[in-house]
Amino acid sequence: MAFTELSLHPLILKAIEEMGHTTPTPIQKEAIPSILKGCDLRASAQTGTGKTAAFVLPALHKLMTPAAKKTRGPRVLILTPTRELAMQIAVEASKYSKHLSKTKTVCIYGGIPYAIQNRELSRPYEILVATPGRLIDQLERGRIDLSGVELFILDEADRMLDMGFIEPVQEIAAALPASRQTLLFSATLKGSVINLSKNLLKNPLEISIAHAHE
């Protein structure tokens, strides 16, 4: 299978081609069609399987359709446990959206002065990549409106729970529209991750990809 068979927008395919990618990885091949159909999804995939593109590419495709509700906040929220991972995802999103002139990604995490992130949040943007603590801080300060979120992506859910973020994740999810689509990615799907997914996802599809280095 080639990326051109995945029904992604031509401008996204152009960026993929320029990055030298031709064939989707197993997680991308399995996840992207399901996400484009609007399904909730829980997926088991390790780092190194191409999972970031598996959710970023269909998220960008969805942004090519005008928003159902105009808000100052994001249409796509990607929640991740660490600043390093947040930065990596934001870089990937920017690369794949290089030809989408109206699509902007903002990344927020702890350890950076609020003034810098506040400037970013004050301008129009569609994708927000965030760590739980800083996102809740900014929500409490009234700087982020999550009422327009159409797609909520929880990445590395098992690490999120291991780091004690279950209550912040639930608090953030409660601030999102009930009509949203939700994707949960985790290295493993068991125990507390499954319990969390039952609270956040509606009739999810499940995908499990064996670990393989790119």
Side-chain angles (χ1 to χ4, degrees):
M1 174 184 273
F3 275 109
T4 50
E5 298 174 64
L6 288 176
S7 303
L8 293 165
H9 192 279
L11 291 176
I12 300 171
L13 290 173
K14 184 179 179 184
I16 293 170
E17 183 182 355
E18 288 172 357
M19 291 169 70
H21 304 322
T22 54
T23 306
T25 66
I27 185 65
Q28 293 162 4
K29 187 166 62 176
E30 293 277 335
I32 290 173
S34 300
I35 297 169
L36 291 177
K37 287 177 188 169
C39 301
D40 279 13
L41 179 72
R42 64 177 174 229
S44 168
Q46 302 270 358
T47 300
T49 56
K51 70 177 170 66
T52 300
F55 57 76
V56 166
L57 294 174
L60 292 173
H61 181 88
K62 285 173 171 286
L63 291 174
M64 302 306 287
T65 303
K69 178 181 179 181
K70 291 285 185 187
T71 70
R72 286 182 56 253
R75 294 175 63 188
V76 175
L77 172 62
I78 304 173
L79 199 62
T80 189
T82 67
R83 60 183 288 173
E84 292 78 17
L85 196 55
M87 292 162 68
Q88 288 172 23
I89 293 170
V91 167
E92 291 284 295
S94 297
K95 285 180 183 175
Y96 288 121
S97 63
K98 63 185 287 189
H99 300 299
L100 311 180
S101 58
K102 294 183 179 178
T103 301
K104 185 174 187 303
T105 299
V106 168
C107 183
I108 63 169
Y109 45 81
I112 294 292
Y114 281 92
I116 295 172
Q117 293 179 350
N118 292 347
R119 276 199 301 274
E120 293 282 297
L121 293 169
S122 67
R123 302 169 185 145
Y125 64 100
E126 291 70 41
I127 300 173
L128 179 63
V129 186
T131 52
R134 181 55 61 104
L135 177 55
I136 286 176
D137 281 352
Q138 292 286 28
L139 282 172
E140 290 173 347
R141 292 165 185 255
R143 294 197 175 274
I144 297 175
D145 175 8
L146 296 180
S147 66
V149 170
E150 301 163 28
L151 179 59
F152 175 40
I153 301 161
L154 194 62
D155 191 27
E156 303 222 351
D158 49 342
R159 284 182 70 191
M160 201 92 75
L161 297 182
D162 288 345
M163 293 169 70
F165 286 137
I166 185 160
E167 288 185 6
V169 167
Q170 291 171 331
E171 183 179 339
I172 290 161
L176 300 173
S179 59
R180 71 183 187 270
Q181 179 182 6
T182 305
L183 315 175
L184 182 147
F185 285 79
S186 178
T188 59
L189 293 176
K190 58 186 179 183
S192 56
V193 174
I194 290 292
N195 291 335
L196 177 65
S197 74
K198 287 176 180 175
N199 291 331
L200 299 183
L201 280 65
K202 299 184 288 286
N203 302 317
L205 294 175
E206 184 171 309
I207 296 172
S208 188
I209 301 294
H211 181 47
H213 286 288
E214 286 182 311

